[in-house]
Amino acid sequence: MKNGGLVEERLMLSVQPALALGALAGMFSGVGGLVGVAMLVPATPPEVISGGDGEHRVVPSSEDLSQLGTLQAAVSGAILFWSTLDLLPEAAAGIQIIQVVQCFAIGFVSAWILSRRIRRRAFAPLGPICASDEILVCGIITVVCLSIHNMLEGICICLASYDGVEKGVRLALALSLENIPEGIMIALPLYFATKSFAWAVILALSSGFMEPLGVLLVPVFFRRRMSTEMVCGSLAMISGILTFLCVCEIIPVAIKYTRSASMSQFSISLGVGIFAASIFQPILLFHGRVGIAQ
């Protein structure tokens, strides 16, 4: 009981700095949202079509769809690279490979189930789906998946801070850098489909602020049981969510609405995203490593 009391006291002392670190890291999702909106400049004015029921539909041009696909390819390449070559090795340093695979699969399948449910609710009552509608739903799925992902990151920050504030700071710095392309990933489809600057940035920022919420979950649900295995399992689940989002949602939609003449540009953008991630990889590995294997 005495040891349990010491654990609880130490945990409560680590929550306050972890909250500040989670909020700081989450703010960078909003920065990414601003960058994403600034990157998406319409090439041509969209076409407005009036339907028989009096509604007006905005039909984006093929040039704008290709621009969106190119930008999404670059961001997806970076995030996919980081999620596999930064998060999975960190997870494998503290738990067995089979456990890493299991946690990765839980994250991947959970994101797939959420995606199916959202698409079923969004498209069930509709007939033919236009590009803007599908891109909007893709943006909503991205917000939901990244919000859960950021909540898990908040849990990781708190658990890392429990072992020392320095470890929490290093992890938060790495996650801050990673949150910028995640904010871009949210803002691109939302701004493209709604043309609302405010909603694109606010939802990107709101997704980031799920990190301090994740910090608050730790003393509620994990007060009696603290272990490095929990950090490793969360990292593997985060990687599974990001992998699903890039491979099964964003990249397929980007390819679908990219003109065949622009596919070479799409491929180059994907390569540029992966290359950019590889440049920042040493920074993430150094600052993000929480020493769980020690």
Side-chain angles (χ1 to χ4, degrees):
M1 293 294 292
K2 184 177 179 180
N3 289 337
L6 291 174
V7 169
E8 288 188 28
E9 181 181 357
R10 183 180 169 189
L11 174 61
M12 297 308 297
L13 289 174
S14 67
V15 168
Q16 187 172 354
L19 270 175
L21 292 172
L24 177 64
M27 288 177 62
F28 280 84
S29 292
V31 174
L34 290 171
V35 173
V37 170
M39 292 168 64
L40 199 58
V41 180
T44 58
E47 182 182 358
V48 180
I49 299 179
S50 298
D53 52 2
E55 293 185 355
H56 299 281
R57 284 183 174 271
V58 178
V59 180
S61 65
S62 59
E63 291 83 0
D64 290 341
L65 287 169
S66 296
Q67 180 193 24
L68 175 67
T70 301
L71 293 174
Q72 285 185 312
V75 176
S76 298
I79 291 181
L80 189 60
F81 186 94
W82 285 340
S83 68
T84 52
L85 296 184
D86 180 45
L87 297 179
L88 288 181
E90 183 73 9
I95 56 178
Q96 298 179 357
I97 295 297
I98 185 64
Q99 293 174 312
V100 174
V101 173
Q102 289 172 346
C103 292
F104 179 91
I106 290 173
F108 190 97
V109 172
S110 298
W112 176 77
I113 293 173
L114 282 171
S115 171
R116 294 276 294 180
R117 287 186 175 274
I118 292 172
R119 286 189 176 277
R120 191 175 302 167
R121 285 183 174 272
F123 291 152
L126 300 178
I129 305 302
C130 69
S132 293
D133 290 338
E134 186 167 3
I135 291 169
L136 177 60
V137 172
C138 180
I140 294 172
I141 293 171
T142 303
V143 172
V144 173
C145 289
L146 287 184
S147 295
I148 297 172
H149 149 271
N150 285 330
M151 192 182 300
L152 291 172
E153 286 187 347
I155 293 174
C156 291
I157 290 175
C158 189
L159 295 176
S161 300
Y162 175 81
D163 285 336
V165 177
E166 180 185 354
K167 293 181 180 180
V169 170
R170 291 168 62 183
L171 181 59
L173 287 174
L175 295 178
S176 298
L177 181 62
E178 191 175 344
N179 281 346
I180 294 176
E182 289 175 4
I184 297 174
M185 181 180 282
I186 291 173
L188 283 175
L190 292 178
Y191 181 64
F192 185 90
T194 66
K195 298 296 185 279
S196 173
F197 173 88
W199 274 113
V201 176
I202 288 172
L203 287 177
L205 186 61
S206 299
S207 174
F209 278 130
M210 295 299 286
E211 292 195 12
L213 179 60
V215 172
L216 293 175
L217 293 178
V218 174
V220 176
F221 295 102
F222 307 112
R223 178 176 295 186
R224 297 289 183 181
R225 186 172 182 271
M226 301 287 294
S227 65
T228 56
E229 287 80 5
M230 299 170 74
V231 181
C232 300
S234 297
L235 291 175
M237 289 177 64
I238 291 170
S239 179
I241 293 172
L242 290 177
T243 300
F244 169 83
L245 200 55
C246 292
V247 174
C248 300
E249 283 292 335
I250 296 176
I251 291 179
V253 171
I255 292 175
K256 179 178 180 180
Y257 292 111
T258 300
R259 296 178 305 170
S260 58
S262 301
M263 285 306 296
S264 59
Q265 186 180 3
F266 179 94
S267 302
I268 293 172
S269 297
L270 189 62
V272 167
I274 295 174
F275 178 72
S278 68
I279 293 176
F280 287 104
Q281 184 69 14
I283 300 175
L284 285 171
L285 286 174
F286 176 75
H287 289 291
R289 189 162 295 279
V290 296
I292 53 182
Q294 296 176 359

